């Protein structure tokens, strides 16, 4: 009986007809050289540079090693590359790409540790030795980055703890993130309010509030975008911010017809005085609520920032007004402009001094005035204590151009925009397109983090068609 054939010498079932068996192939035969006129093979297309300029990440496993000697055809392209080409530019120390972020190397394929991340479209961490990189890289939405700047932020990018809830006050709970969008007239609006990294870690409610409302219909409609920030370290800060948005929304809604006419007619003086009265009235109601609750008005106060956008496509006047800190920026031709209006200083006051406001030496009738010995009068017991100075009113009416992007935000985003150039460069590149981003893309851009800035963020952007 004949001995069974060695399976290693048999031709593979999938081999083409006439293919030699493995036993017949010489073991030490070097691979045949390529034809003389064959151009060299192109480098891998999906390699991405590491965060450090001029440096490359460690190469992945030899997943693309050359075929065995004597193979009849070249190995197929690795399916993980998917034909993606073109590395992205590093921004603020993070290499990003519109396609999946992979670790660059000689083979151009993702390493085993990065394979799952590359398939999900995540971006590699800038420093291979950083703690976040050891944990699997900085997570980021597809086409975006997790953070920019000198290094990873202190807190995790995702929420950790929920705020404490009262069984009898479930209506006072606020969501972690609020997202809104619309298109009216010649502009598209995107707005987002999200809890900061610090609040997500400590289980504190979002102190920022957002309101986007339309009053009226047709070309005479008026869109209001209002955002407020409650006092820091105050127990009811989120309630005060929500009430400030609600009060100003009711005031603008009742006067939207007159406000729309003033905007279309360009009556800047009437707009400024009218909006100033509405803002003072709304914040006054907030102080009255603090008295009813038995809370210090300073602890139940809020900063307030608003945008008025007419729905008339022929009117490109954009009106900003509010009280408190924050930011108002304009992105024009890829360059950021800080157009936050400076508050008007208060009128000089106080007692008269020599050379400025001092009383005359004698009356018009020629009588000499009594010499003032400088003895102060005792305070009267019924005089109330002086009220703390109020925040100055801010107002700006500007004419938009096609292609502009107007951004209004609370200090949670305004401070890193003014303090981190990498964030400015990243958002300028993302928001300078001919079309505005979608809601999900806008949310991903607005939550790009910067080390040292962990407050709540609320932002509204208006793109001009």
């Amino acid at each position: 009986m004949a001995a069974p054939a060695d399976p290693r010498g048999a031709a593979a079932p999938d081999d083409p007809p006439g293919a030699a068996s493995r036993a017949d192939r010489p073991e030490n035969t070097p691979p045949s050289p390529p034809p003389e006129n064959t151009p060299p093979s192109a480098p891998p297309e999906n390699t991405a540079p590491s965060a450090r300029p001029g440096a490359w990440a460690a190469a992945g496993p030899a997943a693309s090693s050359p075929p065995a000697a004597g193979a009849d055809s070249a190995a197929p392209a690795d399916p993980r590359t998917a034909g993606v080409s073109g590395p992205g530019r590093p921004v603020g120390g993070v290499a990003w790409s519109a396609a999946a972020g992979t670790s660059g190397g000689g083979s151009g394929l993702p390493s085993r540790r990065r394979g799952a991340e590359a398939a999900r479209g995540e971006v590699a961490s800038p420093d291979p030795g950083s703690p976040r990189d050891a944990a699997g890289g900085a997570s980021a939405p597809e086409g975006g980055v997790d953070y920019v700047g000198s290094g990873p932020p202190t807190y995790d990018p995702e929420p950790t703890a929920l705020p404490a809830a009262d069984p009898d006050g479930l209506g006072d709970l606020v969501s972690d993130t609020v997202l809104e969008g619309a298109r009216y007239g010649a502009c598209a609006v995107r707005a987002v309010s999200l809890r900061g990294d610090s609040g997500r870690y400590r289980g504190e409610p979002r102190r920022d509030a957002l309101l986007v409302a339309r009053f009226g219909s047709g070309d005479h409609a008026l869109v209001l975008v209002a955002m407020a920030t409650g006092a820091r370290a105050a127990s009811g800060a989120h309630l005060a911010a929500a009430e400030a948005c609600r009060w100003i929304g009711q005031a603008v809604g009742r006067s939207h017809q007159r406000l729309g006419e003033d905007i279309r007619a360009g009556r800047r003086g009437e707009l400024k005085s009218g909006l100033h009265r509405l803002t003072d009235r709304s914040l006054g109601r907030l102080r009255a609520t603090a008295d009813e609750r038995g809370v210090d008005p300073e602890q139940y106060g809020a900063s307030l920032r608003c945008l008025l956008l007419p729905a008339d496509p022929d009117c490109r006047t954009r009106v900003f007004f509010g009280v408190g800190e924050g930011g108002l920026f304009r992105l024009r031709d890829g360059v950021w402009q800080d157009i936050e209006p400076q508050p008007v200083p208060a009128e000089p006051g106080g007692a008269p001094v020599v050379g400025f406001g001092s009383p005359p030496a004698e009356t018009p009738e020629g009588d000499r005035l009594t010499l003032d010995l400088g003895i102060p009068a005792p305070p009267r017991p019924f005089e109330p204590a002086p009220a703390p100075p109020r925040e100055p009113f801010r107002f700006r009416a500007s004419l938009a151009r096609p292609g502009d992007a107007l951004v209004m935000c609370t200090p949670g985003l305004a401070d890193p925009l003014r303090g981190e150039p990498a964030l400015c460069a990243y958002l300028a590149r993302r928001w300078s397109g001919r079309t505005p981003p979608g809601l999900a893309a806008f949310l991903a851009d607005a939550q790009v983090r910067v080390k040292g800035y962990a407050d709540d963020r609320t932002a509204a952007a208006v793109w001009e068609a």
Side-chain angles (χ1 to χ4, degrees):
M1 181 174 181
D6 189 355
R8 293 175 297 176
D14 296 333
D15 286 347
S21 66
R22 290 185 175 88
D24 298 335
R25 298 174 184 173
E27 297 179 356
N28 300 324
T29 303
S32 57
E36 297 180 356
N37 297 330
T38 302
S41 60
E45 295 180 345
N46 68 326
T47 57
S50 66
R52 294 174 295 174
W56 292 86
S64 59
S65 57
D72 296 284
S73 60
D78 191 278
R80 291 173 293 179
T81 62
V84 178
S85 62
R89 293 181 291 178
V91 179
V94 176
W96 67 276
S97 172
T102 59
S103 59
S107 65
L109 296 178
S111 62
R112 292 179 179 177
R113 188 162 59 90
R114 300 293 190 182
E117 297 164 9
R120 291 194 304 266
E122 294 179 355
V123 179
S125 177
D127 186 3
S130 65
R132 289 189 58 78
D133 183 77
S139 62
E142 185 175 359
V145 298
D146 177 16
Y147 61 86
V148 295
S150 59
T154 304
Y155 303 99
D156 290 336
E158 299 299 332
T160 302
L162 291 172
D166 182 4
D168 298 327
L170 296 180
D172 297 337
L173 293 177
V174 293
S175 303
D176 178 89
T177 304
V178 176
L179 190 62
E180 189 61 274
R183 181 186 295 273
Y184 283 99
C187 64
V189 182
R190 302 288 183 267
V192 64
S193 180
L194 53 95
R195 196 161 48 135
D197 290 347
S198 177
R200 287 176 168 179
Y201 177 78
R202 303 177 188 277
E204 298 174 352
R206 174 168 48 89
R207 295 185 297 115
D208 282 4
L210 174 67
L211 172 67
V212 182
R214 171 182 61 89
F215 304 105
S217 60
D219 292 346
H220 295 281
L222 186 65
V223 178
L224 167 69
V225 182
M227 56 186 66
T229 301
R232 188 183 298 274
S235 58
H238 61 292
L239 302 178
E243 287 191 3
C245 290
R246 183 163 59 252
W247 296 137
I248 194 64
Q250 292 179 0
V252 170
R254 296 188 180 104
S255 306
H256 75 276
Q257 294 182 351
R258 177 64 182 273
L259 291 173
E261 294 174 359
D262 291 341
I263 292 176
R264 288 188 292 270
R267 293 190 283 264
R268 186 178 183 277
E270 288 81 351
L271 277 172
K272 184 176 182 179
S273 60
L275 292 174
H276 195 174
R277 287 192 301 271
L278 295 181
T279 303
D280 284 347
R281 190 180 307 166
S282 301
L283 297 181
R285 297 183 66 177
L286 194 62
R287 288 187 290 269
T289 304
D291 294 336
E292 295 174 359
R293 293 172 175 261
V295 184
D296 183 6
E298 294 299 318
Q299 294 296 320
Y300 201 75
S303 62
L304 181 64
R305 309 177 68 79
C306 304
L307 272 179
L308 290 180
L309 310 171
D312 189 351
D314 297 329
C315 180
R316 290 187 179 268
T317 302
R318 310 296 178 236
V319 178
F320 161 80
F321 67 96
V323 171
E325 298 297 327
L328 184 66
F329 305 93
R330 180 169 55 204
L331 184 60
R332 176 173 289 176
D333 299 329
V335 178
W336 285 106
Q337 301 173 1
D338 192 345
I339 58 175
E340 174 75 11
Q342 298 301 320
V344 179
E347 295 294 333
V353 295
V354 176
F356 185 85
S358 58
E362 59 183 18
T363 63
E365 292 78 12
D367 297 331
R368 301 291 297 181
L369 297 179
T370 305
L371 178 63
D372 186 5
L373 300 178
I375 301 176
R380 299 179 181 179
F382 55 84
E383 287 184 353
R390 297 182 181 179
E391 289 283 349
F393 179 72
R394 301 170 187 260
F395 175 87
R396 184 185 183 95
S398 58
L399 188 63
R401 299 180 184 176
D404 284 356
L406 183 66
V407 179
M408 178 184 67
C409 54
T410 58
L413 182 59
D415 292 345
L417 272 177
R418 295 188 176 109
E420 180 52 62
L423 182 62
C424 292
Y426 178 78
L427 293 182
R429 184 161 56 252
R430 295 282 295 174
W431 293 351
S432 294
R434 299 180 64 89
T435 58
L439 290 179
F442 181 73
L443 172 61
D445 295 338
Q447 64 183 0
V448 172
R449 305 183 300 152
V450 179
K451 186 175 183 179
Y453 301 94
D455 287 340
D456 298 345
R457 286 186 181 183
T458 302
V462 181
W463 279 269
E464 302 294 335

